[in-house]
Amino acid sequence: MKATRSILIGLVSVAAALAAGHLVAGLVSPLASPFLAVGNTAIDLTPHQLKDFAVRTFGENDKLVLLGGMAVVLALVGVVAGLLSRRSPWPGTAIAGALGLLGVAAVLVRPTTSTLSVIAPLASLVVGVVAFRWLWSRAATKTPAGASAEAPAEGPGRRRFLVSTAAIAAGAGVAAVGGQLLAGRVDVEASRRGITLRPGTKAPEIPVNADFAAEGTPSFLTPPDKFYRVDTALSIPRLRAEDWRMRVHGMVDNELVLTYDDLLRRPLVEKTITLVCVSNEVGGPYISTTNFIGIDLADLLREAGVKNGADQLATRSVDGWTCGTPVSSIMAPGSNAMLALGMNGEPLPLERGFPVRMVVPGLYGYVSATKWLVDMELTTFDAFDPYWAQRGWGKKAPVKVMSRIDRPKSFERAPAGKFVAAGIAWAQHLGIDKVEVRVDGGPWQQASLSTEVNVDTWRMWRIELDVAPGNHTVECRATDRNGLTQTSDRAAPIPDGATGWHSMVFTAVAS
Ligand SMILES: Nc1nc2c(c(=O)[nH]1)N[C@H]1C(S)=C(S)[C@@H](COP(=O)(O)O)O[C@H]1N2
Ligand SMILES: [Mo]
């Protein structure tokens, strides 16, 4: 068989297999799509250094890059399967079967698998093998022993082969689009649009001097499109508020099952809170602030009645991500821990965890901020390791006191003389006492701080420096309300947050 023909068979069969699985998944459960399941499993198996690299390099596009890369690899497998099958259909059949089994395995290991989910990768397996065999038989004509298995280059055989291939390719296209439409048929946007949140207590107005945005700091409240995003979800879960249920169970006196309406009947409060990710290197970008709207989480747990000894609240998202939060951090007076339904005056955007997420000030996001939250189990730290703990990160991770320089920018060139440096600092849940800055290892000078909004948010600093022409290094360090000054010891983000002083090199130019 001609190489072009065998390659075409391989490619079209892979496409048909993927599309069939995607279509069936659209019917039974979107997360059962073998393509997405393999991608999600790849994310879970990726070492964190590679994950960090992917996020740093591709930013919010990291997941698109992963899906694109998978598509390229699958296409290559299709090409190889085709080329190996020029004389006999068996190598390609075996490869199609193996790919199918990989899809089945990926769906089976997903935490969201139901019995029904397995139908989707099974459909891929069957369609992949059958499409391959059928196209192969159309391309090859029965020839007397000894002659090569080759359809005539021209004539009805060739036409028949091309028509069959085109039909399968078109069918794959329709199935893929159909699967996508079916997966999106849950009209979560309409569900979200139908909700109005009216908090009984509003967050206080942000004072004008809460940031030094004119001098290079971020604005106090982060605009929605600038808010950092970190999660393992390859496709954003689509869960309607009407369908949302959450069970509070485990070591409790009264098991609860809550609906979204149950939450709306409770007092809604609005609070200004900063969210910060443990993956930040010193000076990193994953920190943002918003007004969250939600209900008091400690009240809810009191209603469930936390049994003695339950020290961990294990939470799970609809796509199977898990998180463990110290019960004591939630129950402490003034913890401000909440089940958030909204931010920025609106219901949560889908990528922020619609319909319900958790927020606990003072703890990094991976141990507190479960998005697409659907399950709460009171347990112990001994009994359960959540997602990131299983991957070597700390089980407990209070936010460390930290400061960052936003101006000067790295290797900025600025006129010599008066220069205003500015940045942010945070000691969440305690508050910032002071920020100090030094130039070229000189004496520490105290920066001015912005008006404090509350101890659960970041605080901005600025300082006027006088710089001679030449290269300079600026460093900063923050001190929290307990008098603890940020250590200069450098630590990596893993296991429980980076430490060290942020520094910036810039050039002052004689004017
Ligand atoms: N379901 C789910 N929730 C999650 C995560 C996740 O991967 N899945 N990541 C957590 C991490 S590591 C952080 S830092 C915050 C980030 O929230 P954001 O994306 O809204 O900024 O969400 C947390 N909640
Ligand atoms: Mo994070």
Side-chain angles (χ1 to χ4, degrees):
M1 190 186 297
K2 275 214 221 79
T4 43
R5 214 169 258 205
S6 62
I7 287 174
L8 198 57
I9 295 174
L11 283 174
V12 169
S13 304
V14 166
L18 289 175
H22 204 60
L23 176 65
V24 175
L27 287 167
V28 294
S29 153
L31 286 171
S33 168
F35 191 53
L36 294 180
V38 168
N40 274 313
T41 305
I43 290 180
D44 289 356
L45 296 178
T46 304
H48 82 95
Q49 292 92 339
L50 191 59
K51 241 180 269 198
D52 288 353
F53 166 81
V55 172
R56 267 202 309 280
T57 314
F58 306 116
E60 314 265 285
N61 292 325
D62 58 335
K63 287 161 187 136
L64 276 180
V65 171
L66 172 68
L67 288 179
M70 277 172 50
V72 170
V73 170
L74 285 166
L76 285 177
V77 173
V79 169
V80 170
L83 285 175
L84 290 176
S85 308
R86 291 178 67 187
R87 305 217 149 259
S88 148
W90 287 107
T93 310
I95 291 175
L99 269 189
L101 288 178
L102 181 72
V104 172
V107 171
L108 282 178
V109 300
R110 293 274 80 217
T112 45
T113 298
S114 64
T115 335
L116 223 52
S117 320
V118 186
I119 307 177
L122 283 178
S124 279
L125 200 169
V126 172
V127 169
V129 170
V130 170
F132 183 82
R133 298 294 302 213
W134 189 67
L135 288 175
W136 199 92
S137 70
R138 300 239 109 188
T141 48
K142 291 218 169 59
T143 46
S148 69
E150 184 83 52
E154 292 302 332
R158 179 173 189 262
R159 203 168 316 120
R160 196 180 56 167
F161 169 69
L162 288 180
V163 167
S164 313
T165 312
I168 300 240
V174 170
V177 171
Q180 201 61 19
L181 290 177
L182 283 171
R185 78 188 180 284
V186 184
D187 198 348
V188 60
E189 282 86 5
S191 166
R192 182 172 177 273
R193 272 196 308 274
I195 298 165
T196 314
L197 300 173
R198 291 192 191 79
T201 2
K202 299 269 273 171
E205 205 61 43
I206 305 295
V208 275
N209 296 321
D211 65 37
F212 298 130
E215 287 162 332
T217 73
S219 59
F220 194 85
L221 293 178
T222 311
D225 60 323
K226 295 265 167 60
F227 207 99
Y228 84 90
R229 178 181 163 203
V230 173
D231 57 58
T232 61
L234 197 45
S235 57
I236 296 175
R238 301 173 63 81
L239 184 57
R240 300 193 316 158
E242 297 87 323
D243 302 328
W244 184 83
R245 297 283 180 283
M246 184 178 74
R247 201 155 75 95
V248 185
H249 61 114
M251 297 169 73
V252 293
D253 298 328
N254 325 297
E255 200 173 299
L256 306 176
V257 178
L258 298 160
T259 65
Y260 196 81
D261 278 336
D262 292 335
L263 298 187
L264 288 180
R265 275 191 286 274
R266 304 176 77 98
L268 282 183
V269 292
E270 186 181 45
K271 292 174 193 238
T272 312
I273 295 172
T274 294
L275 203 61
V276 48
C277 182
V278 73
S279 306
N280 276 313
E281 304 282 345
V282 172
Y286 309 125
I287 178 166
S288 302
T289 301
T290 194
N291 288 326
F292 283 106
I293 300 172
I295 66 156
D296 189 298
L297 181 54
D299 277 353
L300 186 75
L301 293 191
R302 263 189 290 277
E303 206 173 294
V306 178
K307 289 215 162 99
N308 273 340
D311 58 2
Q312 177 172 229
L313 175 66
T315 49
R316 195 166 54 79
S317 66
V318 71
D319 61 337
W321 186 80
T322 53
C323 173
T325 310
V327 170
S328 56
S329 306
I330 298 166
M331 301 312 275
S335 78
N336 289 325
M338 65 202 288
L339 276 191
L341 313 186
M343 59 194 268
N344 221 1
E346 292 181 6
L348 293 172
L350 301 195
E351 74 276 12
R352 302 282 155 212
F354 183 82
V356 182
R357 80 177 302 171
M358 218 167 95
V359 177
V360 185
L363 305 176
Y364 289 116
Y366 82 107
V367 289
S368 67
T370 310
K371 308 195 268 190
W372 313 290
L373 173 67
V374 290
D375 190 84
M376 285 193 157
E377 181 176 355
L378 275 300
T379 178
T380 64
F381 277 100
D382 284 339
F384 175 69
D385 282 350
Y387 187 93
W388 285 113
Q390 292 167 20
R391 289 161 176 78
W393 292 77
K395 288 200 193 189
K396 298 191 183 169
V399 174
K400 294 175 180 175
V401 55
M402 184 51 71
S403 54
R404 182 182 86 186
I405 302 164
D406 289 292
R407 175 170 291 166
K409 295 271 173 233
S410 192
F411 299 108
E412 182 174 330
R413 296 171 70 81
K418 189 190 128 183
F419 180 86
V420 177
I424 59 178
W426 61 96
Q428 210 186 19
H429 220 54
L430 274 176
I432 286 290
D433 188 50
K434 64 176 178 189
V435 173
E436 297 159 293
V437 174
R438 68 177 183 185
V439 183
D440 303 327
W444 288 104
Q445 311 172 52
Q446 205 158 324
S448 346
L449 297 176
S450 61
T451 305
E452 184 168 71
V453 170
N454 68 53
V455 293
D456 290 335
T457 57
W458 55 15
R459 202 153 170 205
M460 317 294 177
W461 58 265
R462 73 183 289 281
I463 189 167
E464 230 177 86
L465 304 170
D466 196 12
V467 286
N471 292 337
H472 300 288
T473 304
V474 186
E475 290 169 290
C476 66
R477 65 175 190 194
T479 300
D480 71 20
R481 285 268 160 70
N482 283 346
L484 178 77
T485 299
Q486 218 181 302
T487 172
S488 62
D489 296 344
R490 280 265 168 180
I494 193 168
D496 58 9
T499 61
W501 294 335
H502 194 206
S503 67
M504 214 40 110
V505 177
F506 78 111
T507 307
V509 199
S511 41

